[in-house]
Amino acid sequence: MTSLLPPPPSVVHPVLVGFSGGLDSTVLLHWLATSPAQRTAGLRAVHIHHGLQEQADAWTVHCTQLCARWNIPLRVIRVQVPRHQGQGLEAAARHARREAFASQLLPGEHLALAHHRDDQAETFLMRALRGSGVDGLASMQVTSAFGAGTVWRPLLEVPRSALRAHAQAEGLEWIEDPSNASDDADRNFLRLHVLPQLRQRWPQADAAFARSAALCAQSQHLLDSADRDALERCSVGPGVIDCARLLRQPLERRARLLRHWVRGSGLPPLPAAGVEAVERELLPAAHHADAQFAWQGARIRRWRGQLHLLSASLALPADWSVHWDGRAPLALPDGGELRLLGTDAGFDSPVQIRARRGGERIQLPGRTHSHALKDLLQQQGLPPWQRRQLPLLFDEDTLLAAGDRVIGAALQPWLLAHHAQLQWTPGAA
């Protein structure tokens, strides 16, 4: 093994290698395969078949044969890359690849990717050209949380020239993707035209950019620590921020807190337009205002002086209906749950559970007339989006309860007699 590559790590984890068959991932897989400790801990590979090149099937055969020769288990995943969603083919392929990787990664496993120092320099330049701040310029990290495990880039400080030297010294075979020779993609344009020019004047340009990315990452870690402390002071519950507390923070800190808040939820990153909308429309709104900003299946909604981070899909389907005997927890379509506590026998007979459809009325204990469910939920202060998640319990046409928020006269005596109670947990973002 060439001395330009670091020795395989002494502390090993089960590893899944993202294996395209190109030079970089071939060197990565070979490097890990030479470590007996890594093979003992677990080493396997995954090849993503995008179907974007005519040679895609041949590439799959190459990867399969190479892994068989090296005695490494390989999983081939075929993905469909959407071409007309406005994000560009390169970005769409990257997103599809990440989803495929996440679906294959086991708990505690490391996803090893073959990014190297030249990739880091390209990423730094790309993000600088997009006007990124410290977080973006930090570029790629050696390790970061991903799916059920961790993304691991063990060769991030190694130049591409060292990978090529290793491959040639070991007699490795790899795939040459013809799209890499095209400068249509922005990253390829930087690789083929910009960086070679920079290297002529500054031979260590790649190392300098990588070093700047590392310094930005250090600053990001310090800022992230302060962000976590400030966010904890502004939060009033999971996914909920108090507007008044947030407004006490400096403008620049608020932008960081909002991005940190969203990033920690697992939802798509908050775009710059989202930060601007929160500052311009949500934070200045009146206390009882109901304003929101939505993006990529997520949204931030202001309600009663608080910002709520939500998934845009949180609602029970209008036509959803099941029968439930109460003996086991009932999983709801929004990811929530309904339980009957205090008794293992369940109801005397199954009740119907369905979503709100509007116009429901319920008779409360001690009352002789019925009330509009809508009015009762408003009086309770239940957020509007949770009202669409609320499971209703029926006995034929009689509304027995709305989750655990409103218990009707027809159900309350039974609950008291059996020392039982309902517990509703709504789905969350």
Side-chain angles (χ1 to χ4, degrees):
M1 179 179 294
T2 175
S3 61
L4 292 177
L5 290 186
S10 56
V11 178
V12 293
H13 303 267
V15 167
L16 172 67
V17 177
F19 184 43
S20 68
L23 169 66
D24 305 340
S25 64
T26 299
V27 170
L28 173 63
L29 188 60
H30 178 264
W31 178 69
L32 290 171
T34 61
S35 168
Q38 185 60 71
R39 285 187 175 274
T40 299
L43 178 63
R44 61 193 187 102
V46 58
H47 175 75
I48 309 301
H49 185 302
H50 299 89
L52 297 177
Q53 298 283 350
E54 293 182 1
Q55 307 95 321
D57 289 338
W59 294 347
T60 298
V61 172
H62 167 87
C63 293
T64 301
Q65 293 175 344
L66 189 59
C67 285
R69 188 188 315 162
W70 291 349
N71 194 27
I72 297 172
L74 173 70
R75 180 75 182 272
V76 176
I77 306 296
R78 294 177 179 268
V79 298
Q80 295 293 326
V81 180
R83 297 172 179 265
H84 307 292
Q85 291 189 352
Q87 57 181 329
L89 189 60
E90 184 181 11
R94 184 168 57 250
H95 180 72
R97 191 161 55 246
R98 284 180 60 86
E99 287 193 336
F101 284 151
S103 71
Q104 296 302 306
L105 197 61
L106 300 175
E109 195 172 34
H110 280 38
L111 172 65
L113 300 179
H115 296 117
H116 45 72
R117 193 174 73 185
D118 298 53
D119 292 325
Q120 184 76 309
E122 294 164 9
T123 301
F124 182 87
L125 281 176
M126 285 282 294
R127 295 189 178 179
L129 290 169
R130 292 172 183 162
S132 298
V134 169
D135 291 0
L137 294 178
S139 303
M140 296 179 287
Q141 307 298 304
V142 174
T143 59
S144 55
F146 179 74
T150 301
V151 166
W152 180 40
R153 300 179 177 90
L155 303 179
L156 195 57
E157 297 181 3
V158 179
R160 180 183 284 118
S161 59
L163 302 188
R164 183 172 292 275
H166 175 92
Q168 292 171 342
E170 297 290 341
L172 303 182
E173 300 174 358
W174 64 87
I175 295 165
E176 291 287 358
D177 186 341
S179 68
N180 289 335
S182 170
D183 61 8
D184 291 341
D186 292 340
R187 183 177 288 273
N188 282 3
F189 183 85
L190 289 175
R191 179 182 304 144
L192 298 172
H193 302 296
V194 177
L195 280 167
Q197 290 282 340
L198 291 174
R199 292 188 192 104
Q200 288 183 14
R201 182 64 179 255
W202 298 281
Q204 297 300 316
D206 295 332
F209 290 136
R211 174 62 177 163
S212 292
L215 292 173
C216 287
Q218 292 177 11
S219 298
Q220 179 194 21
H221 292 157
L222 291 174
L223 291 168
D224 282 348
S225 178
D227 290 342
R228 285 191 292 270
D229 293 341
L231 185 58
E232 185 174 346
R233 293 193 298 270
C234 294
S235 298
V236 294
V240 184
I241 287 179
D242 181 83
C243 292
R245 298 180 193 176
L246 183 61
L247 282 168
R248 297 191 192 107
Q249 301 291 324
L251 176 63
E252 296 79 8
R253 175 67 70 183
R254 292 202 295 269
R256 289 193 57 84
L257 291 183
L258 290 169
R259 292 193 179 98
H260 186 89
W261 182 45
V262 172
R263 186 168 64 244
S265 73
L267 291 172
L270 180 65
V275 175
E276 295 170 0
V278 170
E279 288 288 342
R280 184 180 61 252
E281 302 170 15
L282 274 63
L283 288 178
H287 180 75
H288 291 287
D290 183 9
Q292 63 181 308
F293 174 80
W295 79 100
Q296 296 183 39
R299 56 184 168 149
I300 295 176
R301 187 166 183 171
R302 173 172 177 144
W303 192 70
R304 295 195 175 183
Q306 296 175 339
L307 298 180
H308 296 258
L309 183 58
L310 308 165
S311 168
S313 62
L314 287 181
L316 299 182
D319 59 351
W320 175 75
S321 177
V322 298
H323 283 84
W324 181 49
D325 61 13
R327 295 179 182 178
L330 176 66
L332 303 175
D334 67 340
E337 186 179 72
L338 185 63
R339 288 174 174 265
L340 179 63
L341 305 178
T343 175
D344 295 328
F347 296 109
D348 296 338
S349 59
V351 297
Q352 183 189 25
I353 313 294
R354 66 172 175 82
R356 290 185 64 207
R357 298 171 185 170
E360 294 91 355
R361 300 185 67 84
I362 188 170
Q363 183 178 345
L364 298 179
R367 305 288 178 88
T368 58
H369 60 283
S370 64
H371 298 263
L373 180 60
K374 176 182 177 181
D375 295 340
L376 296 175
L377 297 177
Q378 288 178 342
Q379 292 171 16
Q380 287 203 3
L382 190 67
W385 57 91
Q386 287 192 357
R387 298 173 202 169
R388 294 196 294 272
Q389 298 176 258
L390 192 64
L392 304 186
L393 287 74
F394 280 88
D395 179 11
E396 296 185 351
D397 294 330
T398 302
L399 178 56
L400 302 174
D404 57 4
R405 300 308 175 95
V406 181
I407 307 299
L411 181 61
Q412 180 73 353
W414 187 93
L415 292 175
L416 292 174
H418 291 78
H419 305 286
Q421 63 181 23
L422 291 169
Q423 182 186 71
W424 168 55
T425 304

